């Protein structure tokens, strides 16, 4: 019993010399609060960039619809009025648990022209307006409703 006590005492004496320096919980919390404040200050300045990046999705999808419509026109001598005719598959929307932020649709199609629209399903900056883009048979890509 005595030898166990002596061994424990020697061990605890050695451990005092191997103390590891570290941060306290208070110091870590202060750093996290400061980082949170900096993010809140920077976020309003980044919102236009976020909206611009997300609108790139609409532009790319509409350019793809344009290419598919042109191919369909060269084969059938008319433009398709529904997306299924040109084999365009709409990605699952973010409002339905998917990743797509824009709903793509053909709003006008005839034998010599077409117009397709990409409508945002998410209000990116929270102002109540949803971003809308359109493309026509001449590849004129326009932002109808800016967000």
């Amino acid at each position: 019993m005595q030898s166990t006590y002596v061994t424990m005492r020697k061990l605890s004496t050695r451990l005092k010399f191997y103390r590891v320096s570290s941060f306290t919980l208070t110091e870590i919390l202060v750093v996290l609060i400061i980082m949170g404040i900096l993010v809140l200050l920077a976020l309003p300045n980044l919102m236009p960039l976020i909206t611009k990046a997300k609108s790139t999705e609409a532009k790319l999808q509409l350019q793809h619809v344009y290419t598919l419509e042109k191919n369909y026109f060269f084969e059938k001598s008319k433009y398709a009025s529904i997306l299924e005719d040109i084999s365009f598959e709409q990605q699952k929307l973010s409002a339905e648990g998917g990743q797509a932020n824009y709903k793509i649709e053909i709003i006008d199609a005839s034998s010599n022209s077409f117009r397709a629209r990409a409508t945002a399903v998410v209000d990116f900056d929270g102002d109540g307006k949803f971003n809308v883009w359109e493309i026509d048979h001449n590849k004129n890509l326009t932002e109808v409703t800016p967000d």
Side-chain angles (χ1 to χ4, degrees):
M1 187 85 155
Q2 182 70 16
S3 66
T4 306
Y5 175 75
V6 172
T7 306
M8 292 293 277
R9 182 95 169 129
K10 287 180 183 178
L11 186 61
S12 67
T13 306
R14 285 186 196 162
L15 289 177
K16 287 181 184 176
F17 296 117
Y18 295 112
R19 185 171 183 163
V20 178
S21 62
S22 61
F23 297 107
T24 65
L25 183 59
T26 307
E27 292 170 333
I28 293 173
L29 288 175
V30 167
V31 169
L32 288 175
I33 290 171
I34 291 171
M35 288 174 56
I37 291 170
L38 290 175
V39 167
L40 287 175
L41 291 174
L43 193 59
N45 295 334
L46 296 176
M47 286 308 289
L49 293 175
I50 293 170
T51 302
K52 184 177 178 183
K54 292 194 185 252
S55 68
T56 302
E57 174 190 345
K59 294 176 192 176
L60 290 173
Q61 292 293 328
L62 288 175
Q63 288 173 355
H64 183 60
V65 167
Y66 170 82
T67 302
L68 293 173
E69 281 281 11
K70 281 298 185 182
N71 290 339
Y72 186 86
F73 179 79
F74 292 141
E75 289 177 12
K76 313 270 186 188
S77 297
K78 66 177 184 173
Y79 289 104
S81 59
I82 58 174
L83 293 172
E84 289 79 21
D85 288 348
I86 59 173
S87 301
F88 180 84
E89 186 176 327
Q90 172 73 54
Q91 295 178 350
K92 197 172 184 181
L93 299 173
S94 60
E96 302 166 350
Q99 294 182 339
N101 293 307
Y102 287 88
K103 181 178 183 349
I104 309 297
E105 56 192 345
I106 298 173
I107 56 173
D108 181 36
S110 65
S111 60
N112 58 0
S113 67
F114 84 93
R115 249 180 39 221
R117 178 179 289 163
T119 307
V121 294
V122 177
D123 184 12
F124 301 124
D125 58 3
D127 64 354
K129 295 190 305 185
F130 292 89
N131 195 225
V132 178
W133 287 84
E134 287 185 1
I135 195 166
D136 64 9
H137 62 284
N138 291 324
K139 205 174 185 179
N140 295 324
L141 186 63
T142 55
E143 186 175 23
V144 178
T145 308
D147 189 15

Short mmCIF file of all heavy atoms in Angstrom, two decimals, residues 15-24 27-28:
data_model
loop_
_atom_site.label_atom_id
_atom_site.label_comp_id
_atom_site.label_asym_id
_atom_site.label_seq_id
_atom_site.Cartn_x
_atom_site.Cartn_y
_atom_site.Cartn_z
N LEU A 15 3.97 14.86 -13.65
CA LEU A 15 2.93 15.44 -14.50
C LEU A 15 2.87 16.95 -14.36
O LEU A 15 2.48 17.63 -15.30
CB LEU A 15 1.57 14.81 -14.18
CG LEU A 15 1.38 13.37 -14.62
CD1 LEU A 15 0.02 12.86 -14.18
CD2 LEU A 15 1.55 13.22 -16.12
N LYS A 16 3.25 17.47 -13.24
CA LYS A 16 3.24 18.92 -13.05
C LYS A 16 4.23 19.60 -13.99
O LYS A 16 4.02 20.72 -14.41
CB LYS A 16 3.58 19.28 -11.61
CG LYS A 16 2.45 18.96 -10.66
CD LYS A 16 2.82 19.36 -9.25
CE LYS A 16 1.73 18.94 -8.29
NZ LYS A 16 2.09 19.21 -6.91
N PHE A 17 5.29 18.92 -14.33
CA PHE A 17 6.31 19.49 -15.20
C PHE A 17 5.90 19.42 -16.67
O PHE A 17 6.43 20.12 -17.49
CB PHE A 17 7.66 18.78 -14.99
CG PHE A 17 8.21 18.99 -13.62
CD1 PHE A 17 8.40 17.92 -12.76
CD2 PHE A 17 8.55 20.27 -13.18
CE1 PHE A 17 8.91 18.11 -11.50
CE2 PHE A 17 9.07 20.46 -11.91
CZ PHE A 17 9.25 19.37 -11.06
N TYR A 18 4.94 18.56 -17.03
CA TYR A 18 4.51 18.38 -18.42
C TYR A 18 3.20 19.08 -18.71
O TYR A 18 2.39 18.61 -19.47
CB TYR A 18 4.37 16.88 -18.74
CG TYR A 18 5.67 16.14 -18.68
CD1 TYR A 18 5.90 15.20 -17.69
CD2 TYR A 18 6.66 16.39 -19.61
CE1 TYR A 18 7.09 14.51 -17.63
CE2 TYR A 18 7.85 15.72 -19.55
CZ TYR A 18 8.06 14.78 -18.56
OH TYR A 18 9.24 14.10 -18.50
N ARG A 19 3.00 20.19 -18.14
CA ARG A 19 1.76 20.94 -18.36
C ARG A 19 1.76 21.54 -19.77
O ARG A 19 2.72 22.16 -20.19
CB ARG A 19 1.64 22.04 -17.33
CG ARG A 19 0.35 22.75 -17.41
CD ARG A 19 0.18 23.68 -16.28
NE ARG A 19 -1.15 24.27 -16.42
CZ ARG A 19 -1.78 24.87 -15.49
NH1 ARG A 19 -1.21 24.99 -14.31
NH2 ARG A 19 -2.96 25.37 -15.69
N VAL A 20 0.65 21.37 -20.46
CA VAL A 20 0.51 21.84 -21.83
C VAL A 20 -0.22 23.17 -21.80
O VAL A 20 -1.26 23.31 -21.15
CB VAL A 20 -0.30 20.81 -22.67
CG1 VAL A 20 -0.49 21.32 -24.08
CG2 VAL A 20 0.38 19.46 -22.65
N SER A 21 0.34 24.13 -22.50
CA SER A 21 -0.33 25.44 -22.55
C SER A 21 -1.51 25.35 -23.53
O SER A 21 -1.43 24.70 -24.56
CB SER A 21 0.65 26.52 -22.99
OG SER A 21 1.11 26.25 -24.28
N SER A 22 -2.60 26.02 -23.21
CA SER A 22 -3.79 25.99 -24.05
C SER A 22 -4.60 27.25 -23.82
O SER A 22 -4.30 28.06 -22.94
CB SER A 22 -4.63 24.75 -23.75
OG SER A 22 -5.04 24.77 -22.40
N PHE A 23 -5.66 27.42 -24.61
CA PHE A 23 -6.55 28.56 -24.48
C PHE A 23 -7.69 28.21 -23.54
O PHE A 23 -8.15 27.08 -23.50
CB PHE A 23 -7.12 28.96 -25.84
CG PHE A 23 -6.08 29.42 -26.80
CD1 PHE A 23 -5.71 28.61 -27.87
CD2 PHE A 23 -5.47 30.65 -26.66
CE1 PHE A 23 -4.75 29.02 -28.77
CE2 PHE A 23 -4.52 31.08 -27.56
CZ PHE A 23 -4.14 30.27 -28.61
N THR A 24 -8.17 29.21 -22.84
CA THR A 24 -9.31 28.98 -21.96
C THR A 24 -10.59 29.07 -22.79
O THR A 24 -10.60 29.60 -23.90
CB THR A 24 -9.37 30.02 -20.82
OG1 THR A 24 -9.60 31.30 -21.40
CG2 THR A 24 -8.07 30.02 -20.01
N GLU A 27 -11.48 32.67 -23.73
CA GLU A 27 -10.71 33.21 -24.85
C GLU A 27 -11.26 32.72 -26.18
O GLU A 27 -11.39 33.50 -27.14
CB GLU A 27 -9.24 32.82 -24.72
CG GLU A 27 -8.53 33.49 -23.56
CD GLU A 27 -7.15 32.92 -23.29
OE1 GLU A 27 -6.91 31.73 -23.61
OE2 GLU A 27 -6.31 33.68 -22.77
N ILE A 28 -11.61 31.47 -26.26
CA ILE A 28 -12.17 30.91 -27.50
C ILE A 28 -13.51 31.55 -27.82
O ILE A 28 -13.79 31.90 -28.97
CB ILE A 28 -12.29 29.38 -27.39
CG1 ILE A 28 -10.89 28.76 -27.33
CG2 ILE A 28 -13.06 28.79 -28.56
CD1 ILE A 28 -10.87 27.28 -27.05
#
